[in-house]
Amino acid sequence: MLSPSAYDELEQKSVSELPNRVLMMVQSVAFGTLGYPTRVRSESELWKYLDVMHESRFEHDLEHLLGGLTDREFELFKRVASFVLRFSEENFQRTLTTRSSLLRALNVYRHLTDLFGDHPARIFEIGPGSGYLGCLLLDNQWAYGATDVTQAFYLLQNHLWHGLSEGKVKELAENNDWDGSLLPGRAVHIPWWEFYRLLDRVVPKVDVVTCNHALAEMHPDSLVFTLRAAREMLRGEGLKAFVFEGWGCEQWVQRSLITKQFYRAGFRLVHNDDHITVFVPEENAFSRPAARLPSRFGWPGGK
């Protein structure tokens, strides 16, 4: 697994090779402005990131966002929460688990299963935070890739996914030799310095890109690049979508501007409510794959 010192050394090597414009892009506007801690010096500090960003929302989200859980969702929730508890006891000697962050991730997972049912798809996540959507997907044998600009969250993701998948994580911070494939039950983890070179190297082909509570908190140039990269990832036949819940804090970037950038990147908005937002590549907005989508999304051709 990746240590803070190893991550810092690899990051610093890339920093020395990249121009300032790129380094400016990869700063989290929200975290930087608010002074939120984003780095650790040892693995023992990672417990601080196990259940953050949604600490006071659990009861409201359970009742109003999800409207309760199905039996299957509850079993999945317990399974991942139990894993996090064991992970915390073994790695931090603390009796900690997750509930608020995991519940928000379960909302996204619910909508992905609405779209793909029992046929796990290829998902790429930008800014996974504490990493629980990845845990849910890996636990159910979906193919998963992710990137993050924040050292502390990136390290937690690396450690959690290694533990849950029993080491089935390709860590591109350590070895960037990758053919772009995403495989069921396995994760590909991409540090920011490799993600921002992605278009010049290999672009993975995926079915869904997701970015939750972060779009409005990016540097504007990073937003433009992210949507361009997502557009390339979503090329191909079949159902393709950019799915997310939560735009992020709009103090810095308004959702109207984000929507405009989606359209400039070649996406079309097909659904938006308090539960989920969905954009699709413009060539798919009225195509046959849309007929596979649940009618409650209000997509063209929904059954």
Side-chain angles (χ1 to χ4, degrees), residues 4-264:
S5 59
Y7 178 98
D8 292 347
E9 182 178 348
L10 292 164
E11 181 182 53
Q12 185 55 49
K13 180 181 178 181
S14 295
V15 164
S16 67
E17 299 171 350
L18 292 169
N20 288 336
R21 294 287 290 186
V22 173
L23 302 181
M24 175 182 68
M25 286 168 56
V26 300
Q27 306 305 312
S28 170
V29 175
F31 287 163
T33 303
L34 298 174
Y36 191 87
T38 60
R39 305 192 75 89
V40 297
R41 286 182 288 184
S42 70
E43 288 95 332
S44 64
E45 298 177 67
L46 292 177
W47 68 268
K48 301 175 185 180
Y49 299 86
L50 279 175
D51 194 17
V52 294
M53 315 313 295
H54 305 288
E55 293 96 325
S56 62
R57 298 177 176 177
F58 182 82
E59 287 77 11
H60 178 275
D61 287 346
L62 182 60
E63 180 178 356
H64 299 288
L65 182 66
L66 288 123
L69 304 179
T70 66
D71 290 343
R72 186 174 181 179
E73 289 172 339
F74 185 53
E75 289 303 316
L76 176 57
F77 187 95
K78 288 195 298 182
R79 195 157 63 242
V80 174
S82 297
F83 161 73
V84 176
L85 176 62
R86 295 193 301 274
F87 176 86
S88 174
E89 291 174 337
E90 293 170 4
N91 290 276
F92 312 126
Q93 292 73 54
R94 294 173 181 266
T95 307
L96 301 171
T97 188
T98 177
R99 61 175 205 153
S100 299
S101 297
L102 178 56
L103 194 68
R104 298 295 299 212
L106 190 59
N107 178 52
V108 180
Y109 181 79
R110 172 186 284 183
H111 286 86
L112 293 178
T113 56
D114 278 348
L115 299 182
F116 294 97
D118 293 325
H119 303 282
R122 298 164 299 176
I123 312 297
F124 192 89
E125 185 172 15
I126 297 163
S130 295
Y132 297 124
L133 178 58
C135 289
L136 294 169
L137 293 169
L138 291 171
D139 183 80
N140 286 273
Q141 299 302 301
W142 293 59
Y144 180 69
T147 187
D148 206 299
V149 300
T150 305
Q151 183 243 35
F153 281 116
Y154 192 93
L155 291 168
L156 177 61
Q157 295 155 18
N158 172 278
H159 287 223
L160 279 175
W161 299 338
H162 264 285
L164 189 139
S165 70
E166 298 181 344
K168 298 175 183 177
V169 178
K170 184 168 184 59
E171 180 52 71
L172 298 194
E174 298 175 308
N175 181 2
N176 63 11
D177 181 19
W178 180 48
D179 63 3
S181 61
L182 297 177
L183 302 175
R186 297 176 178 268
V188 175
H189 205 199
I190 307 178
W192 65 261
W193 56 90
E194 294 296 336
F195 179 70
Y196 282 87
R197 293 166 170 158
L198 204 62
L199 296 180
D200 298 324
R201 295 184 178 178
V202 57
V203 179
K205 299 304 179 184
V206 304
D207 303 300
V208 171
V209 175
T210 186
C211 179
N212 303 290
H213 304 276
L215 291 168
E217 300 177 8
M218 294 181 179
H219 187 280
D221 291 347
S222 183
L223 175 64
V224 170
F225 177 88
T226 294
L227 297 182
R228 180 187 171 197
R231 187 70 171 82
E232 292 300 316
M233 291 183 200
L234 293 170
R235 294 192 183 278
E237 298 296 322
L239 176 59
K240 306 289 182 180
F242 196 117
V243 178
F244 63 95
E245 65 101 359
W247 299 73
C249 179
E250 295 178 56
Q251 178 179 343
W252 300 279
V253 181
Q254 299 297 310
R255 70 180 65 186
S256 59
L257 176 60
I258 299 170
T259 301
K260 183 180 294 184
Q261 295 296 358
F262 265 104
Y263 272 72
R264 287 177 174 172

